[in-house]
Amino acid sequence: MRANRSIRAAVVSALSVPLLIAAAVPAQADTRLHVENPNFNTPGVEQDGTHYHNVGVGNPAMPGWSVTHGNVDVYGRGFAKAPTGTQALSLNGGTSGTIIQTLETTPGSTVTVSWLQSPDTWSGCSTSNSQVYSAGVTDFNGSATELFNPGRPTTAGDWTRATLTFTASRFLTTLEFASQNGGGACGPLITHVVAHEKP
């Protein structure tokens, strides 16, 4: 009986080895990519419920981001009402705006960009305005763009998460957010832009 127990123990021990080895191999983890000024906290804006900072084409006030069309408004924390407690960006200043930032990516990797979105929190925005905007990327393979709609304007803020996923084809990829909301001052808000890539 003792011999049988030893054989059984040896078999169980031998079968356990591959499992232990497999458990010791870490899964391939996502790598977080650097996004400069992801919460639009620069330029700093007074934190009550009324102040914002307008940024137009060629204005360097918003590090990491370049305005390539029209202009945008940076909302202070009190105005934005973001769940992260940060500032936010309205993609419509006096007119519809477009912003870009270049990300360092690995060719062949799957990149996921996510951010928080909300209808404009300014009480003067019409509730009939749907505030559509686009998010997209441009690299060696051309452009890929998706449309997003955070919903109807609300003075309280109604923040949800949006996501864009793509395969990188070069080491530098341009990320773009663009209002599709016409020329008015009311536009969708975004903040907390983060990016990860997976081999």
Side-chain angles (χ1 to χ4, degrees):
M1 293 295 293
R2 234 177 243 176
N4 288 340
R5 270 196 211 124
S6 298
I7 292 171
R8 188 177 301 156
V11 170
V12 170
S13 177
L15 291 174
S16 299
V17 171
L19 298 176
L20 292 173
I21 293 173
V25 176
Q28 290 184 323
D30 291 359
T31 300
R32 184 156 182 167
L33 303 178
H34 175 69
V35 178
E36 188 174 356
N37 200 12
N39 294 301
F40 305 97
N41 285 329
T42 305
V45 181
E46 289 187 48
Q47 301 310 315
D48 62 15
T50 60
H51 283 83
Y52 61 91
H53 186 100
N54 185 265
V55 182
V57 176
N59 188 331
M62 198 165 61
W65 301 96
S66 298
V67 179
T68 59
H69 175 79
N71 56 75
V72 297
D73 286 337
V74 179
Y75 280 17
R77 290 196 299 268
F79 204 174
K81 302 178 178 66
T84 49
T86 61
Q87 297 190 163
L89 184 80
S90 171
L91 288 170
N92 279 60
T95 184
S96 57
T98 300
I99 62 168
I100 63 170
Q101 180 167 163
T102 300
L103 305 178
E104 294 185 3
T105 53
T106 303
S109 66
T110 299
V111 180
T112 300
V113 181
S114 67
W115 61 93
L116 295 176
Q117 62 175 3
S118 170
D120 202 310
T121 54
W122 180 42
S123 59
C125 294
S126 169
T127 57
S128 64
N129 189 341
S130 61
Q131 302 190 0
V132 175
Y133 69 101
S134 64
V137 292
T138 303
D139 61 13
F140 186 76
N141 285 336
S143 299
T145 302
E146 291 185 25
L147 291 178
F148 294 85
N149 186 347
R152 304 293 184 185
T154 170
T155 56
D158 187 14
W159 291 90
T160 56
R161 180 160 297 283
T163 302
L164 179 71
T165 301
F166 63 95
T167 300
S169 63
R170 65 176 186 174
F171 291 104
L172 296 177
T173 302
T174 300
L175 173 65
E176 177 187 276
F177 293 96
S179 172
Q180 307 294 325
N181 204 40
C186 295
L189 304 182
I190 61 171
T191 194
H192 198 57
V193 182
V194 296
H196 294 83
E197 69 176 7
K198 182 181 290 186

